[in-house]
Amino acid sequence: MRSCRHLKTLPELPGSIKYIAFCKTAVKKFPSSMWSLNQLETLMFENCKSLTDLPNSACNLKSLKRFSLYYCTSLLKFQDLPRNITWLTLAGTAIEMVPSSIGCLSHLLTLDMTFCERLECLPTTLCKLKSLERLCLSRCSKFKNFPEILEPMEQLFYLFLDGIAIEDIPSSIENLSRLGILMLDGCECLEVLPNNIYNIQGLKLSLSGLSGCSSFDKFPPLSGTCCLGELDLSRFNRLQVPVGVSSLSSLRISNLSRSKIESLPTSMKYLSTLSHLDLRKCKNLKSLLELPPFLELLQADDCASLETLSISRTEPIQGLYQYHLREVDFRYCSCPRLDQNARASIMADARFRILHMETISTSIRGRMGQLVSVIQETKFRSGSAMEVWDRQ
């Protein structure tokens, strides 16, 4: 019954119904018969501007999996919800608080409260949602306090906190052991991140996701115990590369593109695991003198101030086996200020790579010749053996 804008009351519904959509209607309350629909799986009341609350009997819908109250802008509160739902949308509602009973939704996978502009906090029972994979609190402009995560939540992967009024994040966020995406852009009151945020192994920590955090001015110090695999400082012009970056024994990818760095910290040359470094459009970058030893991809395109580079691998024998079967790609397109030594270094590096590829090609041709000889010898011996067998 979507977009029946004058529909105010609902009829008695058949007990076998599984899907209900009364979106964009003028419904103010649910009929009592709805809460006895034992086979109902999907209930959609999106953009029902007159709907004000939910009765407690909603928890009787034992088969309900998907429940959407998207932009029911008059909905102020709810008490209990069906225990087996997996997908709940309260985005754009007028809810000010979430009852602690939400911790009973043990099967919930997605909780979307985007643009709940009156919401100020969540209960600590949030940690009871052991199946939760996605939590969206984007643009909840009055949301100030993220709850303590008192127990491990091992399934939460997406956490969207962008555009909220939060000032800090509790150190108990470490209990979100599977967290992979954390969005914080537009959090104007956010000042710091907890030091133990690096302990979340799968987290792709991105400071580009902190754009618009005008109060954030210090990145947590790094240590050897950090499990950070990817660090993104792109487009973030106020912060320097974090202290202790050289201790990141698992860092593979670093993105510093569009930042205002003038040179790489000397300590970065010790990052033996770093394989990808992005420095594109770093307009203030002037020199690249010492690079990580096993870098495979360096993108330094459009660095208008770049003048000097590290000395290239000029000796043909140097590192041939070290770089065996590995692509090495250093890019310096549109860097007009490179000095003569830098240009000579690029040419020497290109000659080295050509020699390296020729060496590998010669080696492969030699091995292929040996393999063909072995196959031919095997065929000859097999044929001789068959002739002897036939004679016998």
Side-chain angles (χ1 to χ4, degrees):
M1 304 293 291
R2 296 177 183 270
S3 299
C4 296
R5 299 182 183 276
H6 299 288
L7 182 65
K8 295 182 179 180
T9 59
L10 299 180
E12 298 295 318
L13 297 167
S16 59
I17 199 165
K18 293 185 177 181
Y19 181 95
I20 292 176
F22 284 98
C23 308
K24 295 185 179 180
T25 63
V27 171
K28 293 183 178 181
K29 63 179 182 178
F30 299 100
S32 57
S33 62
M34 180 173 289
W35 311 122
S36 60
L37 301 177
N38 293 327
Q39 297 185 47
L40 185 63
E41 297 176 357
T42 299
L43 183 56
M44 312 288 281
F45 275 88
E46 300 178 352
N47 287 286
C48 293
K49 309 294 186 182
S50 301
L51 189 65
T52 56
D53 60 10
L54 298 177
N56 295 341
S57 50
C59 61
N60 294 332
L61 297 174
K62 301 189 182 299
S63 298
L64 192 66
K65 302 295 184 184
R66 296 174 64 85
F67 193 12
S68 178
L69 294 159
Y70 178 83
Y71 271 83
C72 293
T73 53
S74 298
L75 183 65
L76 297 173
K77 61 180 180 178
F78 66 91
Q79 293 300 320
D80 293 316
L81 290 169
R83 299 297 174 88
N84 293 319
I85 59 174
T86 60
W87 187 81
L88 175 62
T89 298
L90 297 166
T93 61
I95 289 174
E96 296 180 358
M97 62 175 293
V98 174
S100 58
S101 61
I102 198 170
C104 298
L105 306 182
S106 58
H107 300 284
L108 191 62
L109 302 177
T110 296
L111 175 58
D112 185 358
M113 302 196 71
T114 306
F115 279 106
C116 289
E117 296 181 350
R118 297 188 182 184
L119 182 68
E120 296 185 2
C121 62
L122 290 176
T124 54
T125 53
L126 180 74
C127 64
K128 301 291 184 182
L129 301 177
K130 301 300 184 183
S131 300
L132 192 66
E133 298 176 354
R134 181 187 295 263
L135 176 59
C136 303
L137 296 167
S138 304
R139 311 303 166 188
C140 294
S141 54
K142 291 187 178 180
F143 192 93
K144 295 182 179 180
N145 300 302
F146 194 81
E148 293 285 344
I149 310 299
L150 303 177
E151 300 176 13
M153 295 178 69
E154 298 178 350
Q155 299 303 319
L156 189 64
F157 186 84
Y158 300 96
L159 180 56
F160 296 93
L161 302 177
D162 44 308
I164 65 176
I166 196 168
E167 295 181 359
D168 57 22
I169 294 177
S171 59
S172 59
I173 195 175
E174 184 180 1
N175 281 327
L176 304 180
S177 58
R178 191 173 174 262
L179 189 63
I181 304 296
L182 174 62
M183 293 301 297
L184 293 164
D185 60 297
C187 294
E188 296 180 356
C189 299
L190 182 68
E191 298 180 357
V192 295
L193 292 175
N195 291 346
N196 64 350
I197 197 168
Y198 303 119
N199 295 340
I200 305 174
Q201 294 189 16
L203 183 62
K204 295 180 180 179
L205 192 58
S206 170
L207 277 190
S208 60
L210 283 165
S211 60
C213 298
S214 54
S215 300
F216 188 85
D217 58 3
K218 188 176 182 181
F219 202 69
L222 298 161
S223 69
T225 59
C226 297
C227 300
L228 200 62
E230 183 173 343
L231 180 63
D232 188 343
L233 297 173
S234 60
R235 302 174 183 270
F236 212 84
N237 297 327
R238 293 183 295 104
L239 297 181
Q240 299 297 320
V241 176
V243 175
V245 68
S246 61
S247 65
L248 294 179
S249 59
S250 59
L251 188 65
R252 303 180 308 279
I253 300 173
S254 180
N255 187 352
L256 304 175
S257 62
R258 299 176 185 268
S259 61
K260 289 188 176 181
I261 62 168
E262 296 183 1
S263 62
L264 290 179
T266 305
S267 58
M268 286 193 73
K269 68 180 181 180
Y270 300 112
L271 291 174
S272 59
T273 58
L274 190 67
S275 61
H276 291 67
L277 178 59
D278 191 345
L279 298 169
R280 287 173 295 176
K281 297 185 183 296
C282 291
K283 301 298 184 182
N284 297 332
L285 183 66
K286 295 181 178 180
S287 63
L288 285 174
L289 297 180
E290 294 181 290
L291 296 172
F294 299 108
L295 201 61
E296 295 179 4
L297 175 60
L298 171 64
Q299 296 170 280
D301 305 324
D302 296 302
C303 294
S305 302
L306 184 61
E307 297 178 358
T308 57
L309 301 178
S310 61
I311 298 175
S312 179
R313 301 182 296 270
T314 55
E315 297 182 15
I317 195 64
Q318 181 181 353
L320 278 177
Y321 298 103
Q322 176 179 335
Y323 288 90
H324 185 59
L325 296 180
R326 240 174 17 118
E327 293 289 339
V328 180
D329 188 3
F330 291 177
R331 305 175 188 175
Y332 305 101
C333 298
S334 301
C335 297
R337 294 192 180 183
L338 287 175
D339 61 21
Q340 189 61 36
N341 290 333
R343 295 174 187 274
S345 179
I346 292 173
M347 293 301 297
D349 189 76
R351 286 193 293 269
F352 172 83
R353 283 157 55 185
I354 291 171
L355 176 62
H356 172 52
M357 287 187 288
E358 288 178 348
T359 303
I360 292 176
S361 178
T362 302
S363 174
I364 291 174
R365 285 197 300 269
R367 292 181 183 180
M368 287 297 293
Q370 294 174 3
L371 181 59
V372 169
S373 298
V374 170
I375 292 172
Q376 290 175 343
E377 179 69 19
T378 302
K379 286 182 177 180
F380 174 77
R381 290 180 179 178
S382 300
S384 301
M386 289 301 295
E387 291 174 4
V388 172
W389 176 265
D390 289 340
R391 287 197 299 270
Q392 292 178 347

